[in-house]
Amino acid sequence: MTLANQSLGQLARDLPGATAVFHKYKLDFCCGGSRSLGDAAARKGLDTTAIEAELQALQPQSANQQQLAALGNKELIEHILTRYHDVHREQLPELIRLSQRVERVHGDHPMSPSGLSAHLERMQEELELHMQKEEQILFPMIARGVGGMALAPVQVMRHEHDDHGAALDQLLNLAHGLSLPDGACNTWQALYRGLETLKQDLMEHIHLENNVLFQRVDGQLGGANHG
């Protein structure tokens, strides 16, 4: 099977370094992970051959994704909790504070991210509720190996992941694609650096759940073979 025929999620999971290429071309490998590389590139008017060449040129120097995919369910869940859930809870309050300051001080600037702080507050609330459902209901199910019972909650979480992806798109629109105006102050620069980190972390987070952990449940493997 050519790379163009493989799904973005599969490539992100199995090919070390692929996620950096997908970030570069703004290809959605988390919520849109089931779409093939060729289809996703065509929808954006991108040169599939050029992207394939970049993927083929990747050196397997970082096997992080493969190492994560090889973890048992309990270990993978622990990684998700510490690397993403805990981190998001630290990121969003600071980003809200920074965005409030930028909007207050530079509200009359044409590039001001008007409405961003309110949007981040909604994202924080929705993401917190989502993570609590995973921590209190879904993840314990998967860790216990009751994959069949987890199928319905997994579908709910996937749907909410799509909502998070849409919220991320709206964030980028409000922040003008994270393009800074000339002479942007340090707070504005720090805000957009933080938003870029949040974007990458959230996409990696959703990818790891959708295309690795939840894929095991979808495949009826549950914890029997991976826990």
Side-chain angles (χ1 to χ4, degrees):
M1 179 184 290
T2 66
L3 293 181
N5 291 330
Q6 294 183 47
S7 72
L8 295 177
Q10 179 182 352
L11 290 168
R13 182 180 68 235
D14 298 340
L15 186 60
T19 57
V21 175
F22 295 155
H23 279 303
K24 173 183 174 182
Y25 288 100
K26 296 181 171 57
L27 292 170
D28 180 7
F29 59 89
C30 52
C31 299
S34 60
R35 184 167 291 141
S36 73
L37 169 61
D39 181 39
R43 286 169 179 257
K44 283 185 168 286
L46 299 171
D47 183 348
T48 306
T49 304
I51 299 173
E52 280 188 295
E54 288 195 40
L55 293 173
Q56 289 166 344
L58 290 172
Q59 298 299 317
Q61 46 194 326
S62 167
N64 185 48
Q65 288 290 334
Q66 291 176 327
Q67 291 170 352
L68 291 175
L71 291 176
N73 283 347
K74 292 179 182 178
E75 292 80 8
L76 182 56
I77 287 169
E78 183 60 32
H79 173 77
I80 290 170
L81 293 176
T82 55
R83 173 60 184 86
Y84 297 108
H85 285 210
D86 291 349
V87 170
H88 292 328
R89 287 178 171 124
E90 293 177 357
Q91 289 171 319
L92 282 158
E94 177 64 7
L95 291 172
I96 290 168
R97 186 187 71 80
L98 291 172
S99 62
Q100 287 172 338
R101 183 173 176 185
V102 170
E103 288 182 72
R104 183 172 63 250
V105 175
H106 304 287
D108 58 348
H109 195 289
M111 291 287 284
S112 177
S114 301
L116 177 61
S117 58
H119 181 68
L120 285 169
E121 287 173 347
R122 288 192 296 273
M123 282 187 69
Q124 181 186 38
E125 181 180 343
E126 291 166 2
L127 193 57
E128 179 60 36
L129 289 173
H130 174 85
M131 293 190 297
Q132 286 182 15
K133 282 184 277 189
E134 289 183 333
E135 292 163 3
Q136 297 170 13
I137 301 171
L138 179 57
F139 287 174
M141 276 185 181
I142 296 174
R144 290 198 305 271
V146 287
M149 292 176 62
L151 283 171
V154 159
Q155 293 311 308
V156 174
M157 294 299 99
R158 284 186 185 275
H159 179 73
E160 292 187 5
H161 284 169
D162 290 343
D163 292 340
H164 298 326
L168 198 54
D169 288 341
Q170 177 65 7
L171 180 156
L172 296 174
N173 287 335
L174 290 169
H176 306 281
L178 303 183
S179 296
L180 286 164
D182 292 337
C185 69
N186 289 337
T187 301
W188 207 334
Q189 294 180 46
L191 170 63
Y192 280 18
R193 283 195 300 270
L195 291 175
E196 176 64 30
T197 300
L198 173 68
K199 176 178 77 85
Q200 294 195 19
D201 282 350
L202 189 55
M203 290 184 71
E204 296 280 355
H205 176 188
I206 293 173
H207 156 67
L208 200 55
E209 291 184 355
N210 276 1
N211 302 319
V212 181
L213 184 63
F214 295 172
Q215 195 69 30
R216 296 175 182 176
V217 177
D218 290 342
Q220 293 295 303
L221 297 177
N225 297 331
H226 294 276

